[in-house]
């Protein structure tokens, strides 16, 4: 079974631009969540989607948004990029809609903002 | 609200020595608890998880963790460290109700000295 796939793996953007990151969950998984990882802040929860609905949102500004498609694939978008948005963005999927289910991570998208 | 505290952002052990990585959690309801490992330039991989079935949980690569409710702890141990264990380890908590939201600790980098 293929794991969680994230694209692109690496990208460089300029301040003020926007970026879209893509995530394909493990087949059959309906919950997709996104995390931002930085050396100073560690792993911070961005949002979680289930059946195309955002169910949970972390404490990030409105520049960070996401969506989920009917095939459970998900995208996140960051508009008006700032230097501080440079981070590893991790997508994770899980099979069901209850708490405690293991989440499986992709390898992440490395975003550098210059 | 749930939270996780990992004591020691960096831990060094000699090859063959005991590995002990500390994690304390806070949760208003019985939690699910996880340990993940992250190797350089990779996503997070599940080592083990506690879901109330047994207080001593065995994971992959010889790691285990013990849930101690009275101490609100879930420390990770391995009897004998290998060079390949050098990585960053994350403790995480998820509440047993509500939607999927996993809160991670800041992480502990394990260095194994030959």
């Amino acid at each position: 079974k293929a794991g969680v796939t994230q694209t692109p793996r690496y990208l460089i953007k300029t301040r003020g631009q926007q970026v879209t990151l893509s995530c394909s969950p493990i087949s059959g998984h309906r919950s997709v969540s996104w995390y931002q990882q930085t050396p100073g802040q560690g792993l911070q929860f961005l949002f979680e989607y289930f059946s195309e609905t955002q169910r949970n949102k972390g404490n990030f500004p409105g520049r960070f948004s996401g969506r989920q498609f009917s095939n459970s694939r998900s995208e996140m978008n960051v508009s008006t990029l700032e230097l501080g948005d440079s981070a590893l963005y991790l997508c994770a999927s899980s099979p069901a809609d209850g708490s405690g289910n293991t989440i499986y991570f992709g390898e992440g998208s490395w975003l550098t903002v210059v | 609200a749930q939270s996780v505290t990992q004591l020691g952002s960096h831990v060094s052990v000699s090859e063959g020595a005991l590995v002990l990585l500390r994690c304390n959690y806070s949760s208003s309801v019985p939690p699910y608890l996880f340990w993940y490992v992250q190797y350089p330039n990779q996503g997070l991989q599940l080592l083990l998880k506690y879901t109330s079935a047994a207080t001593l949980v065995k994971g992959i690569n010889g790691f285990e963790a013990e849930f101690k409710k009275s101490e609100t702890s879930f420390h990770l141990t391995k009897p004998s460290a290998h060079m390949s264990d050098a990585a960053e380890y994350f403790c995480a908590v998820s509440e047993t109700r509500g939607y999927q939201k996993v809160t991670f600790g800041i992480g502990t980098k394990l260095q194994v000295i030959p």
Side-chain angles (χ1 to χ4, degrees), chain A residues 25 29-34 47-56 66-75 97:
Chain A
H29 286 194
R30 296 170 63 192
S31 170
V32 173
S33 49
W34 289 88
F47 26 66
E48 187 252 350
Y49 288 87
F50 180 82
S51 292
E52 302 178 65
T53 300
Q54 185 183 90
R55 302 193 301 184
N56 257 320
R67 59 178 176 168
Q68 187 181 31
F69 302 96
S70 58
N71 62 359
S72 294
R73 193 176 68 82
S74 177
E75 289 182 346
D97 60 356

Side-chain angles (χ1 to χ4, degrees), chain A residues 9 31 35 37 40-43 45 48 55-56 88 90 94 97-103 105-107 110, chain B residues 32 34 36 38 41-44 46 49 51 88 90 94-106:
Chain A
R9 288 293 320 277
S31 170
Y35 291 81
Q37 185 178 22
Q41 300 295 321
L43 277 155
F45 173 77
E48 187 252 350
R55 302 193 301 184
N56 257 320
L88 175 64
L90 290 163
S94 72
D97 60 356
S99 267
N101 290 296
T102 304
I103 57 174
F105 285 88
E107 296 204 332
W110 286 94
Chain B
Y32 291 133
F34 307 83
Y36 283 84
Q38 186 178 33
N41 299 318
Q42 294 188 22
L44 277 71
L46 179 72
K49 75 174 182 179
T51 57
E88 190 160 17
F90 293 89
S94 174
E95 295 190 343
T96 54
R97 66 180 185 197
Y99 299 131
Q100 183 83 37
K101 181 181 176 183
V102 181
T103 301
F104 287 85
I106 198 70

Side-chain angles (χ1 to χ4, degrees), chain A residues 53-88:
Chain A
T53 300
Q54 185 183 90
R55 302 193 301 184
N56 257 320
K57 190 176 191 306
N59 189 25
F60 278 82
R63 300 186 296 108
F64 292 81
S65 63
R67 59 178 176 168
Q68 187 181 31
F69 302 96
S70 58
N71 62 359
S72 294
R73 193 176 68 82
S74 177
E75 289 182 346
M76 68 162 283
N77 183 277
V78 187
S79 62
T80 320
L81 284 165
E82 300 177 359
L83 296 178
D85 297 332
S86 295
L88 175 64

